[in-house]
Amino acid sequence: MDQNNGQNRGQWNSKLGFVLAASGSAVGLGNIWRFPFMAGANGGGAFVLVYFILLVIIGFTLMLGELSIGRATQLSPIGAYRKLKAKYAWIGALGVVAGFLILSFYSVIGGWVIRYLVKGISGDFNVADGSVLGDLFVNFITNPLEPLVYHGIFMVLTLLIVIGGVSKGIERYSKILMPMLFVMMVLLMFRSLTLPGAMEGVKFLLVPDFSKINAQVVLAALGQVFFSLSLGMGTMITYGSYLRKDENLISSSIEIPLIDTAIAFIAGLAILPAVFAFGFDPEGGPGLLFITLPAVFSQMPLGSIFAILFFLLVLFAALTSSISLLEVVVSYTVDEWKWSRKLSTIVLAGAIFLLGIPSSLGQGVWSHIRLFGRDILDNVDFLASNILLPFGGMMMCIFIGWVWGVDKALNEVTNGGKISFPLKTFWVVMIKYVAPLAIFIVFVQATGILDLILGN
Ligand code: TRP
C-alpha cells in the first residue's frame, strides 16, 4: 500500500497485492480447521455440494457487493453505509459485533495452533496411534489454564501487528508464505491420499449422499461460505476502500473465492482421507485437524519438520485473518468514538480475550454448559457465523438492490462503464432477489420458525 496518495489513505500498489491481501484475510482457520470438520460433521459430499452452489450464488455476489460499496465510498463499513444512506449505518455496526464474537473464539483456536507448533518443536506427537493423539489433544484443551495462555499469546500477536501498523509488512510476507502454505497443503494431501483406506475419505467428501441434505446442513454450508470468504461483516468493504478506481472488481471477486475454495478443498482432501485411514470419527468436530494431521506427519519422512513448518504456516494464515477481524472492530471505535488507534486496539483486544475465555473453558471445566446440544465455543461460532454474518449479508443485498440501487452499484463495478460485465444480469438477479431470498429461506427452514407459526 502507498500511504502518500494525497487522500491520506492507503492504497494497494498492485492488483496482485490486493488479491493477496484479501486472500490473506479469507484464507485462514476457516479453510484449514473449519471446512474439514464442518464437512465431516454435516454429511461430507452433501455439505461440499451445497457449499459449492452457495459459493457461486452468494460468495461471488456478495464479494462483488462488498468490494463495490468499499471502493465507492472509500470508507470502512459504518461510514460507508452512512455515506450511502444514513439510516442503514446499523448494518455496519452489526458487522462489528459479529467480528468481535468471531475473533473471541478464533483466537482460542489460534492458540491451539501455537500449542501444536510448540509441541511439534518438542517432538511430542510423532506417533501414528490415534488414541494417543486423541488423548494428547483432549488433555490439552480440557486443561483450564494452558489453552488460555496460548489464546492470550495469539491475541497479543494479533494486537501487536495491528498496533504496529505493520499489516502491510505482513502482506508482503504473504506473497511468499501463502504459496508455501499452498505447496505444503498439496504435499499433505498427497500423503493422505496414498494412505491405505484413504479412498473411503475421498468418496465421503466427493460423493454427495442427497438424503443427508437438510436445513441444518444448508445453514452450516451457508455459514461456512460467509466465514471462509470473510463476508457479511464488512471486511471486504474495508479492503475495497483501499482499491484504486481503475482496478477490476469483477475479476477480484472471482479470484479470491477461487483461491479460498482451492485451499479449503485441499485441506479437506488432506484431512478426511486420513480420518478414514486411521479410523478416526469424521464427526469429531473442532479437534479433527489437531488429531488427524499429526498422524499423517508420523507417516512422512521428516514428518516432525513438516509438522513444525505446517503449524507455522497455519499460524501465519490465521494471523493474516485475525488482523482483518481486529481491524474492522478497531476502525469502529477510531471512527465513531474518536478513540486513538492504540487505545482502541489494546482495549478491544483485551475485551475480546476475555470474551474468548468461556469458549476455551467450555472444552473442559465448563463442558457441562451446553445449549442446543453445543458447547460454548460452538454456540458463539454458530451465532456469529451462521446467523449474524448471513443476516448482515442479506441486509447488504437488500441495501444494494433496493436502497443504494443496482445502477449505482453497477457503475462502480464496471468502473463507470469502462469494463464489460458479461455476468451483469446474473449478478443483478442474484443480489436483488436470489441471494437475500435464499438466505431468508435457509433461516426460516433451519430455525423452524415456519413450523412454530403454523403450529406443526
Ligand atoms: N475468513 C477467515 C478464515 O477463514 C476468517 C475471517 C477473517 C473472517 N475476517 C473475517 C470471517 C470476517 C468472517 C468475517 O479463517
Side-chain angles (χ1 to χ4, degrees):
M1 274 198 284
D2 168 13
Q3 296 287 6
N4 305 313
N5 63 345
Q7 304 161 44
N8 203 11
R9 200 177 159 74
Q11 265 187 8
W12 311 106
N13 277 328
S14 67
K15 164 81 188 283
L16 182 68
F18 166 71
V19 170
L20 277 177
S23 304
S25 164
V27 174
L29 297 174
N31 310 59
I32 298 160
W33 160 75
R34 203 174 185 278
F35 180 83
F37 94 76
M38 279 289 163
N42 289 288
F47 175 91
V48 173
L49 177 71
V50 178
Y51 180 85
F52 276 123
I53 295 171
L54 293 175
L55 182 75
V56 176
I57 301 180
I58 294 189
F60 164 71
T61 306
L62 270 77
M63 183 66 73
L64 190 50
E66 284 202 21
L67 290 178
S68 65
I69 291 180
R71 199 183 56 179
T73 57
Q74 309 272 303
L75 292 167
S76 51
I78 298 195
Y81 280 108
R82 182 173 297 134
K83 181 169 175 186
L84 297 176
K85 197 90 184 174
K87 260 198 347 233
Y88 291 82
W90 62 271
I91 306 177
L94 193 73
V96 173
V97 175
F100 204 80
L101 289 173
I102 291 177
L103 190 50
S104 76
F105 71 85
Y106 201 87
S107 170
V108 171
I109 309 295
W112 295 1
V113 171
I114 300 179
R115 174 69 183 98
Y116 268 68
L117 174 62
V118 173
K119 221 177 229 176
I121 291 171
S122 64
D124 261 20
F125 60 21
N126 205 356
V127 285
D129 186 336
S131 62
V132 172
L133 290 168
D135 287 349
L136 271 177
F137 177 71
V138 170
N139 286 342
F140 164 58
I141 60 163
T142 53
N143 181 309
L145 205 62
E146 211 193 343
L148 286 182
V149 173
Y150 287 101
H151 163 45
I153 296 176
F154 186 86
M155 215 48 233
V156 168
L157 287 175
T158 305
L159 174 148
L160 288 177
I161 300 171
V162 171
I163 277 195
V166 290
S167 314
K168 294 178 292 296
I170 295 289
E171 274 139 21
R172 250 200 315 274
Y173 288 115
S174 57
K175 286 184 194 166
I176 312 158
L177 292 172
M178 293 262 294
M180 268 177 79
L181 178 67
F182 188 81
V183 172
M184 176 64 116
M185 297 301 304
V186 171
L187 274 177
L188 269 174
M189 177 184 77
F190 276 115
R191 178 62 273 214
S192 252
L193 289 175
T194 48
L195 289 167
M199 280 309 129
E200 251 339 91
V202 178
K203 253 190 252 148
F204 175 79
L205 201 63
L206 297 188
V207 185
D209 173 354
F210 290 97
S211 71
K212 292 227 171 102
I213 301 180
N214 59 33
Q216 293 308 325
V217 168
V218 177
L219 180 64
L222 180 71
Q224 180 61 25
V225 169
F226 276 92
F227 189 96
S228 195
L229 293 177
S230 304
L231 290 175
M233 58 162 275
T235 308
M236 291 299 162
I237 295 182
T238 308
Y239 276 73
S241 73
Y242 298 119
L243 264 176
R244 287 209 316 250
K245 285 289 181 192
D246 57 356
E247 229 46 280
N248 189 332
L249 298 181
I250 302 162
S251 59
S252 303
S253 304
I254 297 175
E255 285 154 18
I256 301 162
L258 274 182
I259 295 174
D260 187 75
T261 303
I263 301 218
F265 202 59
I266 293 170
L269 281 174
I271 292 175
L272 283 155
V275 164
F276 283 83
F278 291 105
F280 296 124
D281 176 9
E283 298 191 17
L288 210 58
L289 163 79
F290 299 93
I291 298 176
T292 310
L293 285 187
V296 179
F297 290 123
S298 75
Q299 302 300 299
M300 290 168 84
L302 302 179
S304 32
I305 295 177
F306 276 114
I308 295 167
L309 199 57
F310 172 78
F311 283 110
L312 198 63
L313 290 170
V314 172
L315 174 62
F316 181 82
L319 283 170
T320 57
S321 301
S322 64
I323 55 178
S324 78
L325 284 160
L326 188 56
E327 285 273 4
V328 171
V329 184
V330 165
S331 71
Y332 174 79
T333 48
V334 170
D335 292 351
E336 302 294 313
W337 299 350
K338 309 293 172 215
W339 286 12
S340 79
R341 199 177 162 75
K342 193 163 177 183
L343 179 74
S344 300
T345 314
I346 294 175
V347 170
L348 292 168
I352 291 168
F353 170 76
L354 294 178
L355 189 66
I357 292 177
S359 287
S360 183
L361 294 182
Q363 308 301 312
V365 283
W366 284 1
S367 60
H368 57 281
I369 305 179
R370 299 179 75 87
L371 205 62
F372 312 115
R374 291 184 288 263
D375 66 21
I376 301 174
L377 189 152
D378 287 350
N379 271 304
V380 179
D381 183 357
F382 187 90
L383 171 65
S385 315
N386 294 6
I387 309 287
L388 293 181
L389 295 181
F391 182 74
M394 182 175 85
M395 293 317 301
M396 188 202 68
C397 290
I398 296 172
F399 180 82
I400 292 183
W402 306 93
V403 180
W404 187 30
V406 280
D407 292 336
K408 288 194 192 117
L410 279 171
N411 186 51
E412 188 64 40
V413 164
T414 59
N415 298 354
K418 281 207 260 333
I419 41 181
S420 73
F421 186 15
L423 293 171
K424 178 172 146 187
T425 314
F426 171 82
W427 187 71
V428 170
V429 172
M430 288 297 142
I431 206 144
K432 279 186 89 160
Y433 308 100
V434 179
L437 255 175
I439 297 172
F440 182 72
I441 292 170
V442 176
F443 274 158
V444 169
Q445 290 288 339
T447 53
I449 287 178
L450 210 56
D451 291 345
L452 283 179
I453 295 171
L454 298 176
N456 298 326

PDB file of all heavy atoms in Angstrom, residues 25-31 102 106 226-231 233 235 260 321-322 324-325 389, ligand 1:
ATOM      1  N   SER A  25      -6.896 -12.409   4.212  1.00  0.00           N
ATOM      2  CA  SER A  25      -7.998 -12.344   5.168  1.00  0.00           C
ATOM      3  C   SER A  25      -8.888 -13.567   5.027  1.00  0.00           C
ATOM      4  O   SER A  25      -9.306 -14.172   6.008  1.00  0.00           O
ATOM      5  CB  SER A  25      -8.831 -11.071   4.933  1.00  0.00           C
ATOM      6  OG  SER A  25     -10.067 -11.180   5.591  1.00  0.00           O
ATOM      7  N   ALA A  26      -9.155 -13.947   3.778  1.00  0.00           N
ATOM      8  CA  ALA A  26     -10.089 -15.058   3.551  1.00  0.00           C
ATOM      9  C   ALA A  26      -9.482 -16.400   3.972  1.00  0.00           C
ATOM     10  O   ALA A  26     -10.119 -17.193   4.659  1.00  0.00           O
ATOM     11  CB  ALA A  26     -10.499 -15.097   2.075  1.00  0.00           C
ATOM     12  N   VAL A  27      -8.242 -16.639   3.573  1.00  0.00           N
ATOM     13  CA  VAL A  27      -7.632 -17.938   3.874  1.00  0.00           C
ATOM     14  C   VAL A  27      -7.128 -17.951   5.307  1.00  0.00           C
ATOM     15  O   VAL A  27      -6.331 -17.097   5.702  1.00  0.00           O
ATOM     16  CB  VAL A  27      -6.454 -18.232   2.924  1.00  0.00           C
ATOM     17  CG1 VAL A  27      -5.740 -19.521   3.338  1.00  0.00           C
ATOM     18  CG2 VAL A  27      -6.952 -18.338   1.496  1.00  0.00           C
ATOM     19  N   GLY A  28      -7.619 -18.880   6.085  1.00  0.00           N
ATOM     20  CA  GLY A  28      -7.194 -18.937   7.483  1.00  0.00           C
ATOM     21  C   GLY A  28      -7.719 -20.213   8.110  1.00  0.00           C
ATOM     22  O   GLY A  28      -7.868 -21.240   7.429  1.00  0.00           O
ATOM     23  N   LEU A  29      -8.008 -20.126   9.399  1.00  0.00           N
ATOM     24  CA  LEU A  29      -8.521 -21.300  10.099  1.00  0.00           C
ATOM     25  C   LEU A  29      -9.824 -21.786   9.488  1.00  0.00           C
ATOM     26  O   LEU A  29     -10.164 -22.955   9.587  1.00  0.00           O
ATOM     27  CB  LEU A  29      -8.718 -20.960  11.576  1.00  0.00           C
ATOM     28  CG  LEU A  29      -7.432 -20.593  12.324  1.00  0.00           C
ATOM     29  CD1 LEU A  29      -7.752 -20.120  13.737  1.00  0.00           C
ATOM     30  CD2 LEU A  29      -6.504 -21.801  12.373  1.00  0.00           C
ATOM     31  N   GLY A  30     -10.549 -20.856   8.854  1.00  0.00           N
ATOM     32  CA  GLY A  30     -11.808 -21.235   8.214  1.00  0.00           C
ATOM     33  C   GLY A  30     -11.601 -22.325   7.175  1.00  0.00           C
ATOM     34  O   GLY A  30     -12.418 -23.238   7.047  1.00  0.00           O
ATOM     35  N   ASN A  31     -10.503 -22.235   6.449  1.00  0.00           N
ATOM     36  CA  ASN A  31     -10.246 -23.217   5.402  1.00  0.00           C
ATOM     37  C   ASN A  31      -9.649 -24.495   5.959  1.00  0.00           C
ATOM     38  O   ASN A  31     -10.019 -25.595   5.563  1.00  0.00           O
ATOM     39  CB  ASN A  31      -9.244 -22.661   4.381  1.00  0.00           C
ATOM     40  CG  ASN A  31      -9.639 -21.290   3.899  1.00  0.00           C
ATOM     41  OD1 ASN A  31      -9.758 -20.364   4.691  1.00  0.00           O
ATOM     42  ND2 ASN A  31      -9.859 -21.170   2.617  1.00  0.00           N
ATOM     43  N   ILE A 102     -16.480 -13.393  16.555  1.00  0.00           N
ATOM     44  CA  ILE A 102     -15.683 -14.362  15.799  1.00  0.00           C
ATOM     45  C   ILE A 102     -14.250 -14.384  16.311  1.00  0.00           C
ATOM     46  O   ILE A 102     -13.682 -15.440  16.583  1.00  0.00           O
ATOM     47  CB  ILE A 102     -15.716 -14.053  14.285  1.00  0.00           C
ATOM     48  CG1 ILE A 102     -17.112 -14.320  13.740  1.00  0.00           C
ATOM     49  CG2 ILE A 102     -14.690 -14.912  13.531  1.00  0.00           C
ATOM     50  CD1 ILE A 102     -17.293 -13.986  12.292  1.00  0.00           C
ATOM     51  N   TYR A 106     -11.918 -17.452  17.523  1.00  0.00           N
ATOM     52  CA  TYR A 106     -10.861 -17.660  16.524  1.00  0.00           C
ATOM     53  C   TYR A 106      -9.505 -17.683  17.214  1.00  0.00           C
ATOM     54  O   TYR A 106      -8.625 -18.478  16.898  1.00  0.00           O
ATOM     55  CB  TYR A 106     -10.916 -16.505  15.518  1.00  0.00           C
ATOM     56  CG  TYR A 106     -10.279 -16.784  14.175  1.00  0.00           C
ATOM     57  CD1 TYR A 106     -11.024 -17.378  13.167  1.00  0.00           C
ATOM     58  CD2 TYR A 106      -8.962 -16.438  13.906  1.00  0.00           C
ATOM     59  CE1 TYR A 106     -10.466 -17.629  11.923  1.00  0.00           C
ATOM     60  CE2 TYR A 106      -8.399 -16.679  12.665  1.00  0.00           C
ATOM     61  CZ  TYR A 106      -9.161 -17.270  11.678  1.00  0.00           C
ATOM     62  OH  TYR A 106      -8.601 -17.520  10.454  1.00  0.00           O
ATOM     63  N   PHE A 226     -19.761 -17.698   4.294  1.00  0.00           N
ATOM     64  CA  PHE A 226     -19.522 -16.364   4.861  1.00  0.00           C
ATOM     65  C   PHE A 226     -18.223 -16.327   5.648  1.00  0.00           C
ATOM     66  O   PHE A 226     -17.402 -15.433   5.492  1.00  0.00           O
ATOM     67  CB  PHE A 226     -20.690 -15.956   5.764  1.00  0.00           C
ATOM     68  CG  PHE A 226     -21.831 -15.367   4.994  1.00  0.00           C
ATOM     69  CD1 PHE A 226     -22.858 -16.158   4.533  1.00  0.00           C
ATOM     70  CD2 PHE A 226     -21.862 -14.012   4.714  1.00  0.00           C
ATOM     71  CE1 PHE A 226     -23.907 -15.628   3.798  1.00  0.00           C
ATOM     72  CE2 PHE A 226     -22.899 -13.463   3.986  1.00  0.00           C
ATOM     73  CZ  PHE A 226     -23.928 -14.273   3.533  1.00  0.00           C
ATOM     74  N   PHE A 227     -18.063 -17.329   6.507  1.00  0.00           N
ATOM     75  CA  PHE A 227     -16.883 -17.354   7.372  1.00  0.00           C
ATOM     76  C   PHE A 227     -15.609 -17.435   6.552  1.00  0.00           C
ATOM     77  O   PHE A 227     -14.656 -16.685   6.742  1.00  0.00           O
ATOM     78  CB  PHE A 227     -16.971 -18.560   8.313  1.00  0.00           C
ATOM     79  CG  PHE A 227     -15.934 -18.570   9.391  1.00  0.00           C
ATOM     80  CD1 PHE A 227     -16.219 -18.071  10.649  1.00  0.00           C
ATOM     81  CD2 PHE A 227     -14.663 -19.074   9.157  1.00  0.00           C
ATOM     82  CE1 PHE A 227     -15.256 -18.078  11.657  1.00  0.00           C
ATOM     83  CE2 PHE A 227     -13.688 -19.077  10.157  1.00  0.00           C
ATOM     84  CZ  PHE A 227     -13.995 -18.570  11.410  1.00  0.00           C
ATOM     85  N   SER A 228     -15.602 -18.349   5.599  1.00  0.00           N
ATOM     86  CA  SER A 228     -14.379 -18.606   4.853  1.00  0.00           C
ATOM     87  C   SER A 228     -13.994 -17.438   3.954  1.00  0.00           C
ATOM     88  O   SER A 228     -12.813 -17.141   3.788  1.00  0.00           O
ATOM     89  CB  SER A 228     -14.539 -19.879   4.030  1.00  0.00           C
ATOM     90  OG  SER A 228     -13.286 -20.320   3.585  1.00  0.00           O
ATOM     91  N   LEU A 229     -14.999 -16.770   3.379  1.00  0.00           N
ATOM     92  CA  LEU A 229     -14.686 -15.659   2.471  1.00  0.00           C
ATOM     93  C   LEU A 229     -14.602 -14.321   3.209  1.00  0.00           C
ATOM     94  O   LEU A 229     -14.447 -13.282   2.573  1.00  0.00           O
ATOM     95  CB  LEU A 229     -15.729 -15.574   1.357  1.00  0.00           C
ATOM     96  CG  LEU A 229     -15.741 -16.754   0.378  1.00  0.00           C
ATOM     97  CD1 LEU A 229     -16.870 -16.597  -0.629  1.00  0.00           C
ATOM     98  CD2 LEU A 229     -14.414 -16.854  -0.357  1.00  0.00           C
ATOM     99  N   SER A 230     -14.703 -14.330   4.522  1.00  0.00           N
ATOM    100  CA  SER A 230     -14.702 -13.083   5.309  1.00  0.00           C
ATOM    101  C   SER A 230     -15.816 -12.142   4.866  1.00  0.00           C
ATOM    102  O   SER A 230     -15.626 -10.939   4.773  1.00  0.00           O
ATOM    103  CB  SER A 230     -13.368 -12.334   5.185  1.00  0.00           C
ATOM    104  OG  SER A 230     -12.290 -13.143   5.558  1.00  0.00           O
ATOM    105  N   LEU A 231     -16.999 -12.697   4.597  1.00  0.00           N
ATOM    106  CA  LEU A 231     -18.111 -11.865   4.137  1.00  0.00           C
ATOM    107  C   LEU A 231     -19.115 -11.614   5.249  1.00  0.00           C
ATOM    108  O   LEU A 231     -19.125 -12.320   6.254  1.00  0.00           O
ATOM    109  CB  LEU A 231     -18.836 -12.571   2.979  1.00  0.00           C
ATOM    110  CG  LEU A 231     -18.089 -12.666   1.651  1.00  0.00           C
ATOM    111  CD1 LEU A 231     -18.896 -13.509   0.668  1.00  0.00           C
ATOM    112  CD2 LEU A 231     -17.803 -11.281   1.088  1.00  0.00           C
ATOM    113  N   MET A 233     -19.614  -9.038   7.306  1.00  0.00           N
ATOM    114  CA  MET A 233     -19.374  -8.089   8.388  1.00  0.00           C
ATOM    115  C   MET A 233     -18.596  -6.865   7.934  1.00  0.00           C
ATOM    116  O   MET A 233     -18.207  -6.042   8.753  1.00  0.00           O
ATOM    117  CB  MET A 233     -18.685  -8.754   9.575  1.00  0.00           C
ATOM    118  CG  MET A 233     -17.367  -9.396   9.252  1.00  0.00           C
ATOM    119  SD  MET A 233     -16.380  -9.690  10.742  1.00  0.00           S
ATOM    120  CE  MET A 233     -15.567  -8.115  10.949  1.00  0.00           C
ATOM    121  N   THR A 235     -15.631  -6.735   6.226  1.00  0.00           N
ATOM    122  CA  THR A 235     -14.182  -6.824   5.999  1.00  0.00           C
ATOM    123  C   THR A 235     -13.843  -6.429   4.563  1.00  0.00           C
ATOM    124  O   THR A 235     -12.908  -5.673   4.310  1.00  0.00           O
ATOM    125  CB  THR A 235     -13.685  -8.274   6.221  1.00  0.00           C
ATOM    126  OG1 THR A 235     -14.142  -8.709   7.490  1.00  0.00           O
ATOM    127  CG2 THR A 235     -12.183  -8.352   6.186  1.00  0.00           C
ATOM    128  N   ASP A 260      -9.520 -19.187  -2.199  1.00  0.00           N
ATOM    129  CA  ASP A 260     -10.002 -19.601  -0.881  1.00  0.00           C
ATOM    130  C   ASP A 260     -10.558 -21.022  -0.921  1.00  0.00           C
ATOM    131  O   ASP A 260     -10.250 -21.853  -0.065  1.00  0.00           O
ATOM    132  CB  ASP A 260     -11.080 -18.619  -0.405  1.00  0.00           C
ATOM    133  CG  ASP A 260     -11.498 -18.891   1.012  1.00  0.00           C
ATOM    134  OD1 ASP A 260     -10.712 -18.554   1.916  1.00  0.00           O
ATOM    135  OD2 ASP A 260     -12.590 -19.453   1.227  1.00  0.00           O
ATOM    136  N   SER A 321      -5.713 -13.414   8.945  1.00  0.00           N
ATOM    137  CA  SER A 321      -7.169 -13.312   9.065  1.00  0.00           C
ATOM    138  C   SER A 321      -7.565 -12.566  10.337  1.00  0.00           C
ATOM    139  O   SER A 321      -8.455 -11.721  10.314  1.00  0.00           O
ATOM    140  CB  SER A 321      -7.815 -14.697   9.093  1.00  0.00           C
ATOM    141  OG  SER A 321      -7.505 -15.421   7.932  1.00  0.00           O
ATOM    142  N   SER A 322      -6.893 -12.876  11.442  1.00  0.00           N
ATOM    143  CA  SER A 322      -7.306 -12.264  12.709  1.00  0.00           C
ATOM    144  C   SER A 322      -7.036 -10.755  12.691  1.00  0.00           C
ATOM    145  O   SER A 322      -7.797  -9.987  13.268  1.00  0.00           O
ATOM    146  CB  SER A 322      -6.609 -12.927  13.893  1.00  0.00           C
ATOM    147  OG  SER A 322      -5.214 -12.729  13.841  1.00  0.00           O
ATOM    148  N   SER A 324      -7.422  -8.891  10.153  1.00  0.00           N
ATOM    149  CA  SER A 324      -8.519  -8.262   9.408  1.00  0.00           C
ATOM    150  C   SER A 324      -9.776  -8.177  10.267  1.00  0.00           C
ATOM    151  O   SER A 324     -10.570  -7.248  10.144  1.00  0.00           O
ATOM    152  CB  SER A 324      -8.793  -8.995   8.088  1.00  0.00           C
ATOM    153  OG  SER A 324      -9.532 -10.177   8.287  1.00  0.00           O
ATOM    154  N   LEU A 325      -9.953  -9.145  11.166  1.00  0.00           N
ATOM    155  CA  LEU A 325     -11.096  -9.090  12.084  1.00  0.00           C
ATOM    156  C   LEU A 325     -10.921  -7.955  13.087  1.00  0.00           C
ATOM    157  O   LEU A 325     -11.832  -7.158  13.326  1.00  0.00           O
ATOM    158  CB  LEU A 325     -11.235 -10.424  12.832  1.00  0.00           C
ATOM    159  CG  LEU A 325     -11.834 -11.585  12.035  1.00  0.00           C
ATOM    160  CD1 LEU A 325     -11.471 -12.924  12.671  1.00  0.00           C
ATOM    161  CD2 LEU A 325     -13.348 -11.448  11.952  1.00  0.00           C
ATOM    162  N   LEU A 389     -23.502 -13.265  10.356  1.00  0.00           N
ATOM    163  CA  LEU A 389     -22.890 -12.995   9.042  1.00  0.00           C
ATOM    164  C   LEU A 389     -23.905 -13.123   7.903  1.00  0.00           C
ATOM    165  O   LEU A 389     -24.019 -12.197   7.081  1.00  0.00           O
ATOM    166  CB  LEU A 389     -21.678 -13.907   8.784  1.00  0.00           C
ATOM    167  CG  LEU A 389     -20.447 -13.755   9.681  1.00  0.00           C
ATOM    168  CD1 LEU A 389     -19.357 -14.734   9.257  1.00  0.00           C
ATOM    169  CD2 LEU A 389     -19.916 -12.328   9.669  1.00  0.00           C
TER     170      LEU A 389
HETATM  171  N1  TRP B   1     -12.037 -15.924   6.598  1.00  0.00           N
HETATM  172  C1  TRP B   1     -11.151 -16.136   7.679  1.00  0.00           C
HETATM  173  C2  TRP B   1     -10.836 -17.618   7.773  1.00  0.00           C
HETATM  174  O1  TRP B   1     -11.345 -18.386   7.038  1.00  0.00           O
HETATM  175  C3  TRP B   1     -11.689 -15.600   8.984  1.00  0.00           C
HETATM  176  C4  TRP B   1     -12.124 -14.193   8.862  1.00  0.00           C
HETATM  177  C5  TRP B   1     -11.363 -13.107   8.703  1.00  0.00           C
HETATM  178  C6  TRP B   1     -13.456 -13.752   8.826  1.00  0.00           C
HETATM  179  N2  TRP B   1     -12.142 -11.995   8.564  1.00  0.00           N
HETATM  180  C7  TRP B   1     -13.423 -12.362   8.627  1.00  0.00           C
HETATM  181  C8  TRP B   1     -14.652 -14.411   8.918  1.00  0.00           C
HETATM  182  C9  TRP B   1     -14.604 -11.652   8.514  1.00  0.00           C
HETATM  183  C10 TRP B   1     -15.824 -13.685   8.821  1.00  0.00           C
HETATM  184  C11 TRP B   1     -15.790 -12.316   8.608  1.00  0.00           C
HETATM  185  O2  TRP B   1     -10.082 -18.024   8.604  1.00  0.00           O
END
